[in-house]
Amino acid sequence: MRISNRISALLALLLATSAPVHGQEYAVSRQTFSFYADNLDIDVVAKGAGRLQILRGPLGRVDVAAHSRDGVAGFGLTDAPSVLRLAALGGEGASYIVVVPDLTNIRVKLPGRRGWQHADRYGSPTFKWDSVPDAPDVDESMPRPTMDGRYFVATTRMDAPERVRLLNGAHIRSVELRLEGTEFRIAASRAFQPRTGSASLIDIDAGSEDVDLVIQVPAYTRRFELQLGSERLAAVADGKLSDLCRPSIQQVSPAGFKRVTYRPALGVSCGVKPPVPSQRP
């Protein structure tokens, strides 16, 4: 039986196993390529499910036939290295038949799978694949790490509120208060959205996933308090930062600004009275 007749017979069989609905007809693409290489890679690029059958034929040529239900199936052969790409756009049930020379080494890469598979040199190996889900859309509104290369900035504004209140510390691994810079920022190790009740108060609900927080208060701030529930963790008065609870970790930035860190999830003990800012006319 001639190669073209073998392809036609196999296509008829494939079409019969996925019978058209309401007399629908399928478009079949066929092409013959000259081919004299020892190796051939077959790269299948498709999102819908499908199958590929490989046949062995004479030297010097590669025959390809394809169809896709409710879509378009295509293919192309590149040289150096020899790669046959099989593509399907739209629809489901793409089917391909590829006839290659007997002595050719064949590798196949299927949609949704890593690496290459070697085709059996004997018989007529068949490869099948399932639909490949679309990659999730990237949320462009999601804040990007802009503090120390690891924190997502959730809030930025020029002046600090009077208070930031941590509503629940059970999942706050750490909260670092920094008195530096010229902007007020709240950042975290994962994306979240603080609750802004008023210009003077910001509430933070850490939720049920562990998180590390960084709160940056401008160096010129006259009055600010960081609270855990009803307890005051730290206070700023006239540009000076005081930690009011224990245990705490105190640091000084390279620029000489003070930083203090608490670990609410491990527990803190409070009771130190904050300094009172001076009254200026």
Side-chain angles (χ1 to χ4, degrees):
M1 182 183 295
R2 297 177 57 187
I3 293 296
S4 59
N5 292 336
R6 293 172 63 188
I7 293 177
S8 298
L10 282 168
L11 275 174
L13 178 61
L14 289 174
L15 291 173
T17 58
S18 55
V21 178
H22 302 302
Q24 179 182 5
E25 295 183 356
Y26 297 111
V28 178
S29 301
R30 306 181 189 184
Q31 189 168 346
T32 298
F33 301 94
S34 297
F35 184 80
Y36 296 97
D38 295 327
N39 303 297
L40 176 64
D41 288 341
I42 301 178
D43 185 10
V44 184
V45 182
K47 289 188 175 181
R51 57 181 169 178
L52 161 67
Q53 185 165 7
I54 298 176
L55 302 176
R56 295 292 177 170
L59 298 176
R61 58 187 289 175
V62 168
D63 295 278
V64 185
H67 83 272
S68 178
R69 185 169 66 246
D70 300 327
V72 177
F75 42 81
L77 180 63
T78 64
D79 295 326
S82 298
V83 179
L84 176 64
R85 286 192 170 86
L86 310 178
L89 180 62
E92 292 283 344
S95 296
Y96 301 89
I97 296 175
V98 179
V99 183
V100 298
D102 279 333
L103 301 180
T104 303
N105 298 312
I106 302 173
R107 297 191 309 170
V108 178
K109 188 175 183 180
L110 300 178
R113 303 182 191 179
R114 294 183 178 180
W116 296 83
Q117 303 179 48
H118 290 272
D120 190 352
R121 298 188 63 176
Y122 303 96
S124 303
T126 299
F127 298 85
K128 297 181 180 180
W129 60 91
D130 297 324
S131 298
V132 179
D134 293 331
D137 295 333
V138 177
D139 184 1
E140 296 296 338
S141 65
M142 184 175 179
R144 299 183 180 277
T146 58
M147 293 184 67
D148 303 343
R150 55 174 293 204
Y151 295 107
F152 294 94
V153 175
T155 297
T156 300
R157 66 192 214 188
M158 293 303 298
D159 297 320
E162 293 181 5
R163 290 184 297 155
V164 169
R165 181 169 57 190
L166 310 177
L167 299 180
N168 186 349
H171 293 282
I172 300 179
R173 289 180 303 220
S174 67
V175 53
E176 179 181 334
L177 181 60
R178 302 177 179 181
L179 184 62
E180 60 190 58
T182 59
E183 291 182 330
F184 173 78
R185 294 181 179 180
I186 297 177
S189 56
R190 59 173 170 80
F192 82 108
Q193 184 61 48
R195 301 177 182 178
T196 304
S198 64
S200 61
L201 172 65
I202 294 179
D203 284 331
I204 295 178
D205 184 356
S208 59
E209 297 182 16
D210 291 346
V211 66
D212 297 296
L213 300 175
V214 174
I215 301 173
Q216 176 179 298
V217 177
Y220 56 78
T221 300
R222 290 195 60 233
R223 183 182 183 90
F224 173 82
E225 289 185 359
L226 174 63
Q227 293 182 295
L228 175 59
S230 60
E231 297 285 353
R232 288 174 291 185
L233 288 177
V236 173
D238 293 332
K240 295 182 179 180
L241 173 61
S242 300
D243 60 316
L244 308 176
C245 299
R246 300 291 185 272
S248 64
I249 302 173
Q250 300 185 35
Q251 298 174 302
V252 178
S253 72
F257 297 108
K258 186 176 180 181
R259 301 175 177 179
V260 59
T261 302
Y262 300 96
R263 303 189 183 279
L266 300 179
V268 293
S269 177
C270 303
V272 182
K273 293 184 178 180
V276 178
S278 61
Q279 300 295 323
R280 298 179 180 176

